[in-house]
Amino acid sequence: MRRRLVCVSTVALAFIAVFTPPASAQRVLGVGDDALVLPRGVFRFRTLGQWTAFNERYGFDTPGRPAGALEPLGVDFTLDTIGVRQFPNLASLQTGLQSLTGNPNWYATLGNTQVTLRDHIAAFPFVFEAGVSKRFSVGIQIPYVVTHTSTYFNVNTTGIQGNLGFNPAAAGFAAAVAQNTTMNTQFTTAANTLEASIAACQANPGAPGCPGLLANQGSAQALIASSRAFAGGINQIYGTSPFVPIAGTDAQLSIEARVAGFRALYQSFGVNSIAATTTGPFASQNRLTLRDAQRILTETAFGIQAAPLTSTGHSHVGDIDIGGKFSVYDSFDGSAEARLSPQGLNFRSAVSGTIRLPTGQVESPDNFVDLGTGRGATAIEGRWFGDVLLGSRFWQSFILRFNKPFEDDQEMRIIDLPNEELAPLYRKQTVKRKIGSAFEFETTPRIVINNFFAISGQYVYRHKAQDHYTGTFTIPAAVTGFSDITLDASTLDLETETFEHRLGGGLSFSNIYSFEQGKAKIPFEVTYLHWQTVNGSGGNQPKFFTDQVQLRLYARIFGGK
């Protein structure tokens, strides 16, 4: 779930900066949003490339780290041990082996994992805008988005972690099946032989050896009961479990020691059915490898049934934006000449509304490191723009944005805690989802160097409210493999509220002034913007690094100049 949230916020941010409202002629507009509106009859086509990368996030409640500290993006998949907490189905195996080894403090582990993630998003929006009247313009943005997650996945990194491996007998390995069958037969024979001897001595107490056997009859019967229970447990685990102790580990050595102990006890009663060559059941011969770990993630028998943890990506249309912008106040009163040669103090204000359509691809619930190309939810966004201009060289924009997604249905894997990513298939359910509203404040100061170039700075504050998920599902023991459980989708709300501060800057070139003077045939602007996250919080806020190059082309399609 945490990966899903990262993807949602990333794609949303990639487009917020891209859908700059329509603008009218000014010597050099600069980067970022502003309060300008395209004049009536003016058409503008914009295209750009925006590249975002991140491999860290601002964490929350991660063990050993203070809240808000930067941590690797793959921290939730990097585990010191893979045990019952990650795979509840191991609980019965752990209990059984604790009984067989006689050690209640033994804990099952498949080893450790190490996962490194680096996410990339390339967005290529195509924006078409037109001035409808002196104060109103409309636009549509159609983005094409390419996402890629670079994944490095490793298990048992030092080669000594883990005390469980794949069961050779369950895989049909003939030598393992034969060794386990032989041991079970010998234990069965030993118990039956001693039981028969006790019965014969009870019928004829004076027979040779019977006085001694009958004097220790209680111990003999206890031995029979305990050896049968032991052999039954061995047969159950080593015959059917997908995992068994690894050769040479504490659990396997303890079991082998108990086999030797049973042999000695039976020999003390004159029963030699357990051969000296029978050292114990056939152990796993190897710790889990990367290939083994991918099998556990993907194969039906292990219950997760997800995509392997490998690099993945998408290429698809993103969420489409359709909107309009209205000029509330303009001290230039729509005069192109006044805008091109501003003097003194001037002010502009505008408002806009946008609807975002869920045309992008959402992350797959079966791929834990997937990055989608959209959020999958319809949303509306309102914006207020204010520009303050001082003389002809400096102007600054102030922008407020509020984005409100609508409730929708999404298929997701319900996890109890944000860091429990490896959710089994039975946790995949269709839930009601309401993505939290987002508020942004942006300010962009600009210094116009001359009629062609300007430099800009940028600061953005963003707060995204908590998501809300609803839905309750009861999963029977026959499906979970251990007990009935109830899933509550509200656990997905955890760590979905985020805060972010961004800083950036850029450079812009425009020939609009030359075009207005009749010295250029095609009016255009080129801008470059770099921004990055400088602070954040919430547990799932990535540290973004973004570069953007934009081209704007203008044409008049109707109306006078």
Side-chain angles (χ1 to χ4, degrees):
M1 183 57 207
R2 182 171 293 191
R3 292 287 306 148
R4 166 69 63 90
L5 294 173
V6 167
C7 303
V8 167
S9 62
T10 301
V11 174
L13 280 170
F15 296 154
I16 284 173
V18 168
F19 192 54
T20 310
S24 61
Q26 185 166 318
R27 285 193 300 168
V28 188
L29 286 181
V31 301
D33 276 354
D34 55 56
L36 294 172
V37 176
L38 278 176
R40 178 177 179 273
V42 173
F43 170 79
R44 181 169 69 183
F45 169 72
R46 292 191 293 121
T47 184
L48 60 87
Q50 178 167 286
W51 298 268
T52 298
F54 55 100
N55 63 355
E56 292 181 303
R57 71 182 186 195
Y58 295 91
F60 178 79
D61 254 359
T62 303
R65 301 176 188 269
L70 280 173
E71 60 190 22
L73 201 58
V75 66
D76 291 337
F77 300 97
T78 299
L79 307 172
D80 293 333
T81 183
I82 311 170
V84 172
R85 180 178 177 183
Q86 290 74 33
F87 296 102
N89 291 28
L90 290 177
S92 59
L93 174 60
Q94 178 174 279
T95 301
L97 287 171
Q98 286 174 344
S99 176
L100 290 176
T101 60
N103 180 6
N105 296 316
W106 182 88
Y107 297 102
T109 174
L110 297 172
N112 75 319
T113 61
Q114 181 182 2
V115 176
T116 301
L117 300 175
R118 184 173 181 83
D119 289 340
H120 304 263
I121 299 175
F124 304 97
F126 299 91
V127 186
F128 305 89
E129 305 161 333
V132 178
S133 68
K134 179 180 178 181
R135 290 181 174 271
F136 183 66
S137 61
V138 295
I140 181 172
Q141 173 184 270
I142 305 173
Y144 187 76
V145 183
V146 180
T147 68
H148 182 76
T149 299
S150 299
T151 306
Y152 171 79
F153 179 33
N154 197 13
V155 297
N156 292 322
T157 51
T158 64
I160 60 174
Q161 294 95 342
N163 52 31
L164 294 177
F166 282 131
N167 183 356
F173 185 54
V177 174
Q179 180 171 319
N180 294 346
T181 301
T182 297
M183 175 182 163
N184 185 65
T185 300
Q186 290 178 359
F187 266 72
T188 301
T189 301
N192 291 344
T193 299
L194 183 55
E195 192 172 54
S197 296
I198 293 173
C201 286
Q202 288 174 338
N204 185 9
C210 284
L213 177 58
L214 293 175
N216 293 287
Q217 181 177 331
S219 297
Q221 289 174 332
L223 172 60
I224 293 169
S226 62
S227 69
R228 282 176 172 167
F230 178 77
I234 291 292
N235 190 55
Q236 174 67 26
I237 290 176
Y238 284 80
T240 63
S241 172
F243 305 109
V244 294
I246 299 167
T249 59
D250 290 346
Q252 184 66 21
L253 293 175
S254 295
I255 289 171
E256 291 171 356
R258 291 199 68 190
V259 170
F262 280 119
R263 180 191 305 111
L265 289 173
Y266 272 111
Q267 287 175 345
S268 70
F269 287 103
V271 178
N272 298 303
S273 301
I274 302 176
T277 55
T278 300
T279 58
F282 200 95
S284 177
Q285 301 302 298
N286 299 291
R287 286 175 167 81
L288 293 186
T289 64
L290 176 58
R291 182 178 180 181
D292 296 334
Q294 300 286 28
R295 282 184 57 197
I296 294 172
L297 290 173
T298 58
E299 292 185 5
T300 303
F302 302 104
I304 298 179
Q305 292 180 249
L309 284 181
T310 58
S311 296
T312 185
H314 290 280
S315 298
H316 195 267
V317 172
D319 292 342
I320 293 176
D321 286 355
I322 301 174
K325 184 179 181 184
F326 180 76
S327 176
V328 176
Y329 175 78
D330 184 357
S331 62
F332 295 120
D333 196 27
S335 169
E337 181 179 352
R339 285 192 296 269
L340 292 172
S341 302
Q343 296 179 0
L345 177 64
N346 288 278
F347 179 73
R348 289 183 296 246
S349 178
V351 294
S352 74
T354 300
I355 182 169
R356 179 162 296 155
L357 305 178
T359 50
Q361 288 181 331
V362 299
E363 297 82 358
S364 168
D366 297 325
N367 189 329
F368 300 128
V369 297
D370 198 21
L371 267 177
T373 66
R375 298 194 296 178
T378 302
I380 56 174
E381 181 167 299
R383 304 171 187 172
W384 174 85
F385 311 85
D387 293 344
V388 177
L389 297 89
L390 298 176
S392 62
R393 297 292 181 183
F394 177 83
W395 63 296
Q396 184 164 358
S397 297
F398 301 89
I399 317 296
L400 299 178
R401 302 185 186 92
F402 184 77
N403 181 282
K404 183 176 180 58
F406 293 106
E407 185 177 78
D408 66 339
D409 294 332
Q410 283 291 323
E411 192 175 46
M412 304 182 73
R413 298 202 183 205
I414 301 173
I415 55 180
D416 295 329
L417 293 172
N419 61 348
E420 296 179 354
E421 291 284 358
L422 304 178
L425 182 64
Y426 62 75
R427 287 182 170 269
K428 185 169 74 171
Q429 305 291 335
T430 299
V431 303
K432 290 287 185 182
R433 178 186 71 162
K434 190 173 184 181
I435 298 174
S437 299
F439 168 79
E440 282 197 10
F441 167 74
E442 174 186 311
T443 183
T444 305
R446 307 171 182 88
I447 296 177
V448 178
I449 300 174
N450 54 34
N451 291 331
F452 304 98
F453 291 97
I455 57 175
S456 307
Q458 189 176 84
Y459 166 76
V460 176
Y461 165 79
R462 184 174 192 266
H463 169 238
K464 179 191 157 297
Q466 185 180 62
D467 298 342
H468 293 286
Y469 298 84
T470 56
T472 303
F473 311 89
T474 300
I475 314 299
V479 176
T480 67
F482 55 95
S483 65
D484 294 350
I485 65 170
T486 299
L487 302 177
D488 186 347
S490 66
T491 58
L492 298 175
D493 298 356
L494 298 173
E495 297 187 18
T496 59
E497 181 181 18
T498 59
F499 298 84
E500 182 190 11
H501 299 267
R502 303 196 316 241
L503 286 177
L507 178 69
S508 56
F509 170 81
S510 172
N511 76 342
I512 297 236
Y513 183 81
S514 295
F515 176 77
E516 292 290 338
Q517 300 297 314
K519 299 178 181 179
K521 293 183 178 181
I522 301 176
F524 70 90
E525 297 168 329
V526 178
T527 64
Y528 167 75
L529 170 67
H530 170 84
W531 62 262
Q532 64 188 59
T533 306
V534 294
N535 196 12
S537 62
N540 203 27
Q541 173 59 55
K543 182 176 177 61
F544 295 115
F545 294 87
T546 295
D547 291 283
Q548 178 191 108
V549 177
Q550 179 174 216
L551 171 66
R552 299 166 175 157
L553 298 174
Y554 296 83
R556 180 168 291 281
I557 54 178
F558 64 86
K561 183 174 180 180

